[in-house]
């Protein structure tokens, strides 16, 4: 089976750095995805980790530790437009999503 | 441009009625997926298909049916057996390199 946990809500201020954690337990693992979703819209791809370590892509970075069943998404230089839900998903034969973390960025 | 097209954007269902949500992709992807999203919740997997003429149940398949007669198309039928169908439905596809799940724009289904 699969169990994916993320914090429900987080708040931060513009210009700050925020880290969204994701822990998972799964009997199979082929990679971990992070998606951003604004209300009423489809999710958009942020990152994909299949090996341990840090993947950096502009203001967003994602880290994976397969032995610990742990990943995080790091958002730097936060902007108001980063207010959204962030979804962690584990890929086995299909992507299984966590419930998402709602991030609110204030000025 | 390649992508995934879902239709309609909004759909209303009457009691006891079956409705079908369309999903078409021109990305030449083998794998396609249907997810359901309730307000404030994450995505839950309904059905998925890794190849034409084959599909598997996800976590919440009861009350739904699918077909995969063509690589490009993966329609989802919400049957009358699904007693709480109001939700946002998302279709997605995955390429062979597994590096990115592409999503359609979604269908909001409501009950009249």
């Amino acid at each position: 089976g699969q169990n994916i946990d993320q914090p429900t809500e987080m708040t931060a201020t513009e210009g700050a750095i925020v880290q969204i954690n994701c822990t998972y337990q799964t009997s199979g693992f082929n990679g971990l995805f992070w998606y951003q979703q604004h209300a009423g819209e489809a999710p958009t791809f942020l990152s994909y980790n299949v090996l341990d370590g840090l993947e950096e892509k502009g203001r967003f970075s994602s880290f994976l530790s397969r032995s610990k069943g742990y990943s995080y998404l790091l958002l730097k230089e936060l902007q108001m437009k980063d207010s959204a839900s962030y979804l962690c998903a584990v890929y086995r034969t299909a992507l299984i999503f966590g419930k998402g973390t709602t991030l609110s960025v204030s000025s | 441009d390649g992508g995934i097209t879902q239709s309609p954007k909004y759909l209303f269902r009457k009691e006891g009625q079956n409705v079908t949500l369309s999903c078409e992709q021109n990305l030449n992807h083998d794998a396609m997926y249907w997810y359901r999203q309730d307000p404030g919740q994450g995505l839950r997997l309904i059905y998925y298909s890794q190849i034409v003429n084959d599909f598997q149940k996800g976590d919440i398949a009861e009350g739904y049916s699918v077909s995969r007669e063509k690589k490009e198309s993966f329609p989802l039928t919400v049957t009358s057996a699904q007693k709480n169908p109001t939700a946002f439905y998302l279709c997605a596809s995955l390429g062979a390199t597994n590096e990115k799940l592409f999503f359609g724009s979604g269908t909001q289904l409501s009950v009249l």
Side-chain angles (χ1 to χ4, degrees), chain A residues 9-47:
Chain A
E9 294 180 340
M10 298 184 71
T11 59
T13 55
E14 269 189 305
I17 299 174
V18 70
Q19 178 174 311
I20 302 175
N21 296 325
C22 173
T23 59
Y24 64 90
Q25 293 124 31
T26 178
S27 54
F29 182 83
N30 290 320
L32 188 139
F33 289 79
W34 283 96
Y35 279 81
Q36 180 191 62
Q37 186 180 28
H38 287 98
E41 298 179 7
T44 55
F45 172 82
L46 291 178
S47 68

Side-chain angles (χ1 to χ4, degrees), chain B residues 29-81:
Chain B
H29 287 172
D30 287 313
M32 296 186 73
Y33 306 83
W34 274 106
Y35 292 92
R36 167 181 172 141
Q37 187 172 35
D38 294 280
Q41 301 294 313
L43 279 65
R44 292 186 290 168
L45 182 65
I46 306 173
Y47 267 99
Y48 65 103
S49 168
Q50 294 180 293
I51 197 168
V52 175
N53 291 323
D54 187 45
F55 48 82
Q56 287 80 40
K57 293 181 180 180
D59 298 323
I60 55 165
E62 186 174 350
Y64 301 97
S65 66
V66 293
S67 62
R68 187 82 188 279
E69 297 176 1
K70 298 186 301 182
K71 189 175 186 177
E72 301 79 19
S73 179
F74 191 40
L76 174 73
T77 297
V78 184
T79 75
S80 57

Side-chain angles (χ1 to χ4, degrees), chain A residues 2 33 35 37 40-45 47-48 87 91 93-100, chain B residues 33 35 37 40-43 45 48 50 59 88 90 94 98-105:
Chain A
Q2 284 144 140
F33 289 79
Y35 279 81
Q37 186 180 28
E41 298 179 7
T44 55
F45 172 82
S47 68
Y48 171 62
L87 308 175
Y91 178 56
T93 53
L95 263 76
I96 304 300
F97 286 81
K99 293 185 177 180
Chain B
Y33 306 83
Y35 292 92
Q37 187 172 35
Q41 301 294 313
L43 279 65
L45 182 65
Y48 65 103
Q50 294 180 293
D59 298 323
F88 188 48
L90 285 159
L94 187 66
N98 300 333
E99 290 190 358
K100 187 173 179 179
L101 189 70
F102 287 81
F103 282 93
S105 57

Side-chain angles (χ1 to χ4, degrees), chain A residues 61-102:
Chain A
S61 303
S62 58
F63 172 82
L64 175 66
S65 169
R66 289 172 295 170
S67 62
K68 295 182 179 179
Y70 170 68
S71 173
Y72 67 73
L73 180 70
L74 192 71
L75 293 77
K76 304 175 186 176
E77 302 170 14
L78 280 173
Q79 303 173 11
M80 298 292 285
K81 67 178 182 180
D82 297 329
S83 293
S85 288
Y86 291 86
L87 308 175
C88 170
V90 172
Y91 178 56
R92 193 180 163 198
T93 53
L95 263 76
I96 304 300
F97 286 81
K99 293 185 177 180
T101 299
T102 299

